[in-house]
Amino acid sequence: MANQRTQRSGTGQSHDRWLVIIGTFKILEGVLFVLLAFGVIRLLHRDIADVLLRAVMAIRLDPESRFVNFLLEKVQLLTPPKMRLISAGIFLKAGLDFVEGIGLVLEKTWAEWLTIGITASFLPWEIFEIIRHFTWVKVAVSIINVLVLLYLVWVQQKRLRAHHSQTAGAPATR
């Protein structure tokens, strides 16, 4: 992670490239969740089982398979109030991603702490999911999240050490 700070042309300010990359990813994730939430809203007053069955036929899956029947049973449980609640939750997640992403791109300390807290809070769930049903995609996502978490903790520790060394070297004023 050497040379992680890039010089801003003409201003003398430097930016942490990795914070900008993580922040940009969070913003893109937020866009994805907004689109997903709108997709859920579009399904609100439609027969979701019919939509699912047409999608199954379009991708040429066996409509009589156990997997398809399982999905058809589960979508029958999705009532309009549940769909509204799901879309609201997805919009909240998108909003949180936008706040994190914009804060990280602007290199705000509060955004780094927010991202540390949120990322750390989801790691136990990710580990549970890996144990419950192992896939390499889940492992890769968890590794990326751990690396992001470790990087942000490292940035915070570096910032705290710099702040502590500045205050320790400064003369006491009354």
Side-chain angles (χ1 to χ4, degrees):
M1 292 192 202
N3 197 18
Q4 70 187 356
R5 297 188 79 71
T6 55
Q7 197 72 13
R8 209 170 165 196
S9 60
T11 63
Q13 295 177 342
S14 61
H15 289 283
D16 188 314
R17 176 181 347 159
W18 291 106
L19 286 179
V20 172
I21 290 170
I22 295 166
T24 302
F25 178 78
K26 287 289 188 180
I27 292 169
L28 292 174
E29 188 177 332
V31 169
L32 177 70
F33 278 112
V34 166
L35 294 174
L36 182 63
F38 279 125
V40 171
I41 289 171
R42 284 194 62 189
L43 292 173
L44 252 177
H45 297 292
R46 295 181 67 188
D47 183 2
I48 302 172
D50 182 55
V51 172
L52 177 63
L53 199 52
R54 280 191 275 141
V56 164
M57 299 300 274
I59 59 175
R60 300 177 191 262
L61 287 177
D62 177 17
E64 300 298 322
S65 72
R66 276 182 52 195
F67 176 69
V68 172
N69 283 317
F70 171 78
L71 287 178
L72 287 170
E73 286 176 22
K74 294 301 178 187
V75 297
Q76 296 299 325
L77 302 174
L78 295 174
T79 62
K82 285 182 184 177
M83 297 286 283
R84 283 187 203 93
L85 189 61
I86 290 169
S87 66
I90 295 171
F91 276 123
L92 286 174
K93 169 68 170 121
L96 195 55
D97 283 337
F98 286 130
V99 168
E100 284 180 89
I102 292 168
L104 288 173
V105 167
L106 297 175
E107 298 184 50
K108 300 295 184 182
T109 303
W110 59 261
E112 294 165 14
W113 283 112
L114 178 65
T115 306
I116 287 169
I118 291 171
T119 304
S121 71
F122 279 108
L123 283 177
W125 177 257
E126 291 178 15
I127 292 167
F128 171 75
E129 282 297 312
I130 290 171
I131 292 169
R132 191 172 71 97
H133 182 74
F134 179 88
T135 66
W136 286 108
V137 172
K138 290 178 184 178
V139 171
V141 167
S142 294
I143 288 171
I144 290 169
N145 283 336
V146 167
L147 290 174
V148 165
L149 180 66
L150 291 174
Y151 180 73
L152 292 174
V153 168
W154 178 77
V155 167
Q156 285 301 314
Q157 285 181 337
K158 188 170 83 167
R159 184 172 287 136
L160 288 172
R161 280 192 300 266
H163 178 71
H164 180 63
S165 66
Q166 286 176 350
T167 57
T173 58
R174 289 189 179 213

